Amino acid sequence: MRAASLIWRSQHQRRELVSQISTILLQRHNWALLLPTFNLSAKLTTSLFLQILNRIQSNPQISLNFLNWAKTHLGFQPDLKIHCKIIRISIQSGASRPVKPILDSLIHLYPSTHIIDSMVQACNGTESLPLVFSSLIGSYAQKGLHFDCLKVFRNVIQHGFVPKVGCCNVVLDGLEHENEFRLALCFYGWMIRNGVLIDSNTSSVVARILCKNGKFDRVMRLLDSGIYNSTIFNLVIDSCSKCGNFEAAFDRLKEMCDRKIEPGFSTYSSVLDGACEVGNLELIEMVMHIMSKKKLMPVPLSSEYDDVIRKFSDLGKTYAAGMLFKRAEVEGVILKGTTLGCLLRAFSEGRRVKEAMSLYSMILQKGVVLGKSSYQAFADVLYQENPSEEVNKILIDLIRKGVSPCASEILKFMTLHCRNTRWQEAEDLLNVILEQGFLPDSSCCHSLVKHYCCCGHIESAISLHCKLEKLGGVLDVKAYNQLLRGLFAVKRVEEAVKLFDYMRSKNVVSSGSFLVMISGLCNEKEMRRAMQVHDEMLKMGLKPSRKTYKSLITVFR
C-alpha cells in the first residue's frame, strides 16, 4: 500500500512539473531565466522532455528553443526519438529550415532505416508524414545518398502515400548528376507505375539521361510524341550540332519557333559551336548574324568580347569561345584575366589539352594572374595526360601557384614517370609537392627510394626522407627496408638506427625490417644492439618463419 502511495505521489509531482514548465514556456517570454529554479539538470530525462514537448508542440519555435536551451545549459543529450518529433513539429507548421541542421546531422549519425522508423512513430496521429518524408528525401538527395532516398520512397508507398512529382524529380536529378543512368531510368519507370504525374522537369531530366547515353533517337521520339520544352529542344539541337547534322538542327529550331518557344543564347550557341568545330565559315557567319539580329550577341563585338567569350566558356562551347578569342587577338583587343581564366577552365573541362597548354603559355608571357579554380581545372586535366617534360614543368608551376595536388592523381602520374624511367622529372615534381607542404601517398616515394638505393644515390634517398619527416609523413615499409639495406651497405650504422627508431615511432615496421636491422648490426659487430632488436621483434610478435629464424640466430653463436 505504501509503495503504491509513493508511486502515485511521484507521478503526481511529475505531472505538476510538466504542467508548470509547459505553462512557463508558453506564457512567459523570460522563461530561460525562470527554468533554472526547477533544477532540471538532475530531473530532465527523455521521457520527461517528451511529455513537456507534447504540451508545447503548438508553438514550434518554443519547442526548438527549449531543446537548444536544454542541450546548452543542462548538457541534455536528446535521442533520435526527440529529434524526429522536433523535426515533425517544425515541418508540420511549415518551418522546415530551422530544423534542417538537425535532419542533416541525423543522416550522419543513424542508418536510414532507423531514421525512417522513428519518423513514422513521430508522425503517428498526424497527417504530416508525406511532408516529413519529402524533407528527408531532399536531405539525402543533397548529400548524394540516393540509395537511402530510394529506401524512404519505398516506405512512403508502403504507408499509402504517393510522393509529389517535385520530390521525385529531386531524386531523379541527383541520380543523373551521379551518372547512375540505369538506376535513374528504373526510378522513372517506378514513378510511372506508382501513378506519379510527371511534369516538364521530369521530362527534361529523362532527356538529359538519354542524351548522355547516346540515345538521341529516343529523345527525338519524346518531341515527336508531343512531350517538349525548351530544355529538350536544346538537348536535341546540341546533339545534332555535335554530329554535324545542321539541317536537322535548323529543322528543330524552326519547330521551336512554330511551337512558340523562343530559342535563346544557349540554343544558338550549340549550332555555332558545332559550326566552329568543323570550320564551316559560312555557317559561322550566318549563325552569328542571326544571334546579332535577335540581340543575343552585341554589334559590334569589339567592346563586348569578354562577356561573350565568358558566356560561351561557361556553357562549355569551347569551339565558339576559341573562335572569338582568336578574332579578339587579330583585332588587338586585350581580354581581361577573368575571361582568359574562364576559357582555360573550359578548355580543360572539355579535355582540349593542346589548346589549354597553348593558352596557358600565352597567359604566362603576358604575366596575367588567374583565379585558383582555373589553375585547378587545368592541373586536373594534365594529370590525365601521358607524362612529358612540358606537362611536368606546367604542373610544377601550377603547384607553386597554390594548386592542391590530388593524391590519387599524383600517384598515377608519378607511377607513370617511374615506369618510364623519367627519374629526374619524378624527383622534380615530388620535391615541389613537398616544398609546398603537401604530403603525397607513400607509394609515390617507393620507386624513387628504390631507384636511389640501387644507383648508390643514398644521399638523395636520405634527403627525400628528411623532407617527408618534417611534414610528419612516412614511406611504406618496403621502401624503408630498402633504405635500411642501403645505409648498412655504405656503413652508415647510426643513421640506420635513427631511421629504424623513426619507423617504430610511426608503427611502420615488419618482420623484414627487424631482419635487416639484426643482420646489419651483426655484420658491423654491434651484437648487443642486434640482440635488443631481436628481443623487441619477439615481443611485438614479428618472429619470422622457422627456417628464416633458424638462419638468423646462427649469427649470435
Side-chain angles (χ1 to χ4, degrees):
M1 195 69 182
R2 181 177 174 79
S5 175
L6 288 172
I7 291 171
W8 179 87
R9 182 176 296 176
S10 175
Q11 289 175 342
H12 176 72
Q13 289 173 344
R14 189 184 181 90
R15 284 194 295 269
E16 283 291 308
L17 181 62
V18 169
S19 177
Q20 288 174 333
I21 292 172
S22 304
T23 302
I24 289 172
L25 284 166
L26 291 173
Q27 296 181 5
R28 303 295 290 270
H29 292 297
N30 63 338
W31 57 264
L33 299 175
L34 300 174
L35 290 186
T37 60
F38 290 91
N39 191 25
L40 284 175
S41 57
K43 302 173 185 175
L44 193 61
T45 61
T46 296
S47 173
L48 182 63
F49 188 94
L50 285 170
Q51 287 180 27
I52 296 169
L53 197 56
N54 284 334
R55 294 281 195 99
I56 65 173
Q57 62 181 309
S58 58
N59 190 321
Q61 189 58 56
I62 289 292
S63 300
L64 182 59
N65 289 346
F66 177 52
L67 174 66
N68 291 333
W69 180 86
K71 285 160 65 177
T72 303
H73 293 87
L74 307 179
F76 181 63
Q77 298 292 326
D79 61 8
L80 179 59
K81 193 173 182 180
I82 288 175
H83 277 136
C84 287
K85 189 146 190 171
I86 285 284
I87 290 166
R88 190 268 297 165
I89 290 168
S90 290
I91 290 175
Q92 190 175 5
S93 71
S96 59
R97 184 174 292 179
V99 291
K100 192 177 185 310
I102 297 176
L103 190 53
D104 289 343
S105 68
L106 294 185
I107 286 170
H108 288 296
L109 292 172
Y110 299 97
S112 58
T113 49
H114 292 189
I115 296 174
I116 291 166
D117 290 343
S118 194
M119 285 296 187
V120 170
Q121 289 176 16
C123 294
N124 276 343
T126 72
E127 296 180 355
S128 57
L129 194 58
L131 289 172
V132 171
F133 273 163
S134 293
S135 292
L136 187 57
I137 288 165
S139 291
Y140 277 125
Q142 274 187 343
K143 297 183 184 307
L145 302 170
H146 307 300
F147 289 102
D148 290 299
C149 284
L150 298 177
K151 287 179 186 176
V152 180
F153 265 97
R154 188 171 57 200
N155 271 270
V156 172
I157 296 297
Q158 286 173 353
H159 285 85
F161 298 110
V162 176
K164 292 182 179 179
V165 67
C167 190
C168 294
N169 287 343
V170 168
V171 179
L172 195 63
D173 188 62
L175 291 170
E176 185 254 325
H177 281 299
E178 291 293 319
N179 294 327
E180 292 282 357
F181 303 132
R182 189 173 179 181
L183 186 57
L185 291 174
C186 287
F187 181 70
Y188 174 62
W190 177 90
M191 289 169 63
I192 294 170
R193 287 193 304 275
N194 285 280
V196 178
L197 298 173
I198 65 171
D199 61 10
S200 61
N201 289 331
T202 316
S203 301
S204 297
V205 177
V206 172
R208 284 204 304 268
I209 293 168
L210 292 172
C211 281
K212 284 183 178 181
N213 280 275
K215 297 177 180 177
F216 308 120
D217 56 326
R218 289 178 64 180
V219 184
M220 297 281 198
R221 287 205 295 271
L222 278 178
L223 287 177
D224 294 337
S225 66
I227 299 173
Y228 59 86
N229 56 33
S230 59
T231 301
I232 298 176
F233 270 115
N234 285 345
L235 286 167
V236 171
I237 291 166
D238 188 60
S239 299
C240 292
S241 300
K242 281 177 179 174
C243 296
N245 190 350
F246 298 109
E247 185 179 346
F250 276 99
D251 285 343
R252 293 300 177 180
L253 276 168
K254 183 178 181 302
E255 189 180 342
M256 279 185 84
C257 296
D258 291 343
R259 293 182 185 274
K260 309 299 181 191
I261 300 174
E262 186 63 33
F265 184 89
S266 175
T267 315
Y268 284 108
S269 70
S270 293
V271 185
L272 181 60
D273 196 59
C276 291
E277 184 176 2
V278 298
N280 189 329
L281 298 178
E282 185 180 347
L283 185 56
I284 290 170
E285 295 304 325
M286 186 179 83
V287 176
M288 288 183 68
H289 176 72
I290 294 171
M291 293 178 77
S292 301
K293 195 174 177 181
K294 289 180 174 287
K295 299 191 184 320
L296 298 172
M297 193 179 284
V299 180
L301 264 172
S302 53
S303 61
E304 303 289 341
Y305 270 118
D306 283 294
D307 288 341
V308 180
I309 291 172
R310 282 200 298 269
K311 268 188 176 182
F312 283 130
S313 298
D314 290 340
L315 288 171
K317 308 304 179 189
T318 58
Y319 292 98
M323 177 270 295
L324 289 182
F325 168 70
K326 288 175 183 174
R327 288 196 179 191
E329 272 195 311
V330 170
E331 293 176 22
V333 176
I334 299 174
L335 297 172
K336 295 177 182 176
T338 50
T339 304
L340 298 174
C342 274
L343 186 55
L344 181 66
R345 188 165 61 247
F347 279 149
S348 302
E349 290 170 355
R351 300 196 62 78
R352 295 183 62 191
V353 181
K354 186 179 177 182
E355 290 80 1
M357 289 172 71
S358 175
L359 177 61
Y360 185 70
S361 176
M362 187 214 77
I363 288 168
L364 288 180
Q365 288 172 10
K366 293 189 174 183
V368 178
V369 178
L370 306 181
K372 193 173 179 180
S373 63
S374 299
Y375 291 135
Q376 189 69 59
F378 186 34
D380 289 342
V381 75
L382 288 178
Y383 289 132
Q384 308 301 319
E385 292 296 291
N386 287 324
S388 67
E389 187 177 349
E390 185 181 7
V391 169
N392 213 61
K393 282 181 179 176
I394 295 174
L395 280 173
I396 287 171
D397 187 51
L398 290 171
I399 292 168
R400 283 187 173 139
K401 282 181 166 68
V403 169
S404 303
C406 170
S408 59
E409 297 299 338
I410 278 288
L411 176 58
K412 283 193 287 186
F413 198 77
M414 289 285 292
T415 302
L416 283 173
H417 265 323
C418 297
R419 192 178 294 160
N420 297 332
T421 65
R422 305 177 78 100
W423 301 110
Q424 188 59 54
E425 289 170 20
E427 183 180 346
D428 292 344
L429 183 58
L430 185 58
N431 281 336
V432 78
I433 290 169
L434 295 171
E435 281 168 16
Q436 296 302 308
F438 297 115
L439 265 175
D441 188 287
S442 60
S443 303
C444 286
C445 309
H446 180 106
S447 297
L448 265 177
V449 170
K450 184 178 178 182
H451 167 70
Y452 289 146
C453 294
C454 290
C455 296
H457 299 159
I458 200 72
E459 285 297 340
S460 297
I462 291 294
S463 174
L464 171 57
H465 184 261
C466 287
K467 290 174 185 176
L468 274 175
E469 191 175 348
K470 283 178 184 176
L471 296 171
V474 291
L475 298 168
D476 60 33
V477 71
K478 287 183 180 179
Y480 272 126
N481 293 348
Q482 187 89 32
L483 186 50
L484 285 173
R485 280 190 285 268
L487 287 168
F488 278 118
V490 293
K491 310 292 185 182
R492 294 169 71 161
V493 178
E494 293 306 319
E495 286 175 85
V497 171
K498 183 181 176 183
L499 180 66
F500 187 65
D501 288 340
Y502 183 77
M503 290 166 62
R504 284 185 296 185
S505 71
K506 295 294 183 179
N507 197 27
V508 189
V509 287
S510 65
S511 179
S513 311
F514 281 97
L515 294 178
V516 173
M517 283 300 295
I518 293 167
S519 300
L521 289 168
C522 287
N523 288 338
E524 297 302 317
K525 309 303 180 190
E526 296 273 0
M527 306 307 289
R528 180 179 289 181
R529 277 180 167 182
M531 183 55 75
Q532 288 173 346
V533 174
H534 166 271
D535 293 346
E536 186 178 353
M537 176 184 73
L538 297 183
K539 191 183 293 184
M540 291 180 69
L542 293 174
K543 184 178 179 180
S545 67
R546 187 175 179 180
K547 183 179 178 181
T548 304
Y549 184 68
K550 189 176 180 181
S551 172
L552 178 69
I553 60 175
T554 57
V555 298
F556 292 113
R557 292 173 183 169

